[in-house]
Amino acid sequence: MDEITQDNSKEKGNAALDLASRLTQDHHQSLKLWLRMLSCTVRIENEIRSRLRTTFDITLPRFDLMAQLERHPDGLRMGELSKRMMVTGGNITGITDQLEQEALVVRVPDPKDRRAYSVKLTREGHIAFARMAVVHEEWIADLLKDISPDDKGRLIALLSQMKQHLQ
């Protein structure tokens, strides 16, 4: 084997060793934790999606938009809704259009910027959301009923700690 081939072989071997030395049991455990959290979230979300559609004939994104507006009675601008819901402005526009057609939300010109609008729940929107929110909370409680209150408290504390580390 010539000197160059030997050096390349050593570099490849060192790179493999270097990669292997960086992989620890924590890497595997971290990946497993992330996948487990994702799996639980997706299962709950899919069940809630199905129940919202069946019970209230509403999609999860429409419910989420109404939930954001419920927390902000003075309304939110479209861009703020987009940020809070982590979707594009086009998605927010489409959802808002649907909810506006059903008289659940209204667009209100922003007094500070005539080009902008805020979106607010209508009286009917508040009533409809309040009804859905009570049932939604019951569904979540039911889905998580087999987890003890102590375990829920520990999970909340651990996930809060994780969230702080991720910021």
Side-chain angles (χ1 to χ4, degrees):
M1 192 184 300
D2 66 18
E3 202 171 309
I4 293 173
T5 307
Q6 209 171 17
D7 283 347
N8 285 344
S9 178
K10 283 182 186 175
E11 283 179 29
K12 286 179 185 173
N14 288 341
L17 281 176
D18 193 35
L19 178 61
S21 68
R22 289 188 312 209
L23 295 175
T24 64
Q25 179 61 23
D26 184 52
H27 282 86
H28 178 71
Q29 212 173 13
S30 295
L31 183 60
K32 190 173 183 177
L33 172 62
W34 177 71
L35 290 172
R36 187 65 45 94
M37 288 187 320
L38 184 60
S39 173
C40 290
T41 299
V42 167
R43 285 178 182 213
I44 292 169
E45 187 175 298
N46 286 342
E47 183 62 27
I48 295 301
R49 248 180 232 287
S50 174
R51 290 181 185 192
L52 282 170
R53 185 169 302 282
T54 301
T55 307
F56 298 108
D57 193 29
I58 194 167
T59 64
L60 184 56
R62 290 169 63 197
F63 177 84
D64 287 344
L65 188 140
M66 292 176 75
Q68 288 296 325
L69 296 177
E70 180 66 28
R71 291 183 200 106
H72 300 277
D74 292 335
L76 290 170
R77 285 175 149 201
M78 302 290 269
E80 185 63 27
L81 279 166
S82 178
K83 270 194 282 188
R84 289 172 183 271
M85 293 178 62
M86 296 182 280
V87 296
T88 66
N91 285 345
I92 295 299
T93 300
I95 295 167
T96 301
D97 288 346
Q98 293 169 359
L99 292 170
E100 194 172 36
Q101 287 172 2
E102 295 175 32
L104 298 173
V105 302
V106 63
R107 286 180 172 96
V108 180
D110 189 322
K112 298 173 191 164
D113 182 353
R114 292 183 201 197
R115 299 167 296 164
Y117 289 88
S118 289
V119 181
K120 291 181 172 186
L121 285 175
T122 62
R123 183 175 181 285
E124 294 81 9
H126 281 286
I127 292 167
F129 181 76
R131 200 176 79 246
M132 289 186 285
V134 168
V135 175
H136 175 268
E137 187 174 342
E138 290 170 0
W139 291 338
I140 297 296
D142 182 56
L143 289 168
L144 301 177
K145 72 179 181 269
D146 294 331
I147 301 171
S148 75
D150 287 346
D151 284 346
K152 286 176 189 166
R154 281 191 286 278
L155 282 167
I156 290 167
L158 287 169
L159 290 171
S160 295
Q161 187 179 17
M162 178 189 288
K163 187 176 178 182
Q164 282 182 326
H165 289 299
L166 292 172
Q167 288 178 349

